Amino acid sequence: FPSHDNDGVFIEYLELSATSASKFEMILDTAAVVFVTVAVYQFVELMSDRAVAYVMRHKEHGRDIAATLAPLIASTMKFFVAVLGISFALGVLGVNIAAIITGLSIGGAALALASQDTIKNLFGSLVILSERPFVVGDWISAQGVEGTVEEIGVRSTRIRTFADTVMFVSNAKMADAMIENMDMRNVRRFKSTVHVDIAAGPETLQRFVEDAYRDWE
């Protein structure tokens, strides 16, 4: 974070009054805090994307885990970076952070009631990541939605349907839902209808059956 000595040397050249110099120094410190916060925020996002790309290119195992965990970890880290950055910026501006925290603790009961769904979704995401009923890239069917999992976030799971639309399902519902994971099947059953010319003889049919078995093997 900013050095007050360097700010003082720079401000001396401006020949400002004591009050103006103090305010200008506060603005510079706040701008520096905001700049560092934004830089760290972008760095976390960049490292998350680079980590996933590296695993996809160089690792045979763990690709699904990396694609699933990296966005969630990055979102959590960016949240804490933003909170710390705002706290430092408010502190530089002279805002009493302790008073704000005290005020939040007084309204904690109301906040807890209002954030029940958020807490449920957070625990739902932890359940999904620990039990792994699906990972990013899986074809699943749950809560009346069928499609490919694109992202497992802190609050919801993003699913792209086969109509190329995107559905967001809360993690709390996903954790309690009956999930059908198509990609966990060992074999896939399919039905095919073959139309045969009525004029085809037994030899032709026998040859067709033998060719079909040979292609299957």
Side-chain angles (χ1 to χ4, degrees), residues 102-116 119:
T102 302
L104 291 176
S105 63
I106 295 175
L111 183 63
L113 291 175
S115 61
Q116 281 184 353
I119 296 174

Side-chain angles (χ1 to χ4, degrees), residues 146-174:
E146 183 175 355
T148 304
V149 178
E150 286 195 338
E151 182 179 346
I152 303 173
V154 177
R155 191 190 68 83
S156 63
T157 296
R158 187 174 68 194
I159 302 174
R160 183 170 295 277
T161 68
F162 297 116
D164 201 27
T165 60
V166 177
M167 300 290 291
F168 293 86
V169 185
S170 67
N171 289 331
K173 292 182 178 180
M174 292 295 289

Side-chain angles (χ1 to χ4, degrees), residues 14-115:
L14 299 179
E15 298 182 354
L16 300 174
S17 64
T19 303
S20 299
S22 177
K23 291 182 179 180
F24 190 66
E25 183 177 358
M26 182 183 300
I27 293 173
L28 288 178
D29 290 346
T30 304
V33 170
V34 172
F35 175 79
V36 172
T37 301
V38 173
V40 174
Y41 189 94
Q42 295 294 334
F43 177 76
V44 170
E45 185 173 10
L46 176 63
M47 291 304 296
S48 173
D49 295 339
R50 290 287 181 87
V52 173
Y54 176 82
V55 173
M56 292 299 182
R57 288 197 306 266
H58 299 90
K59 303 292 183 181
E60 295 183 2
H61 304 289
R63 295 181 177 180
D64 53 350
I65 299 177
T68 301
L69 288 179
L72 183 61
I73 295 174
S75 299
T76 304
M77 293 180 65
K78 288 190 291 185
F79 172 78
F80 283 110
V81 168
V83 170
L84 290 175
I86 293 173
S87 300
F88 276 111
L90 291 176
V92 171
L93 291 174
V95 178
N96 191 342
I97 304 297
I100 296 177
I101 295 175
T102 302
L104 291 176
S105 63
I106 295 175
L111 183 63
L113 291 175
S115 61

Side-chain angles (χ1 to χ4, degrees), residues 120-134:
K120 289 180 181 178
N121 289 327
L122 176 60
F123 279 102
S125 64
L126 295 177
V127 170
I128 293 172
L129 293 175
S130 61
E131 296 187 358
R132 295 181 63 197
F134 57 85

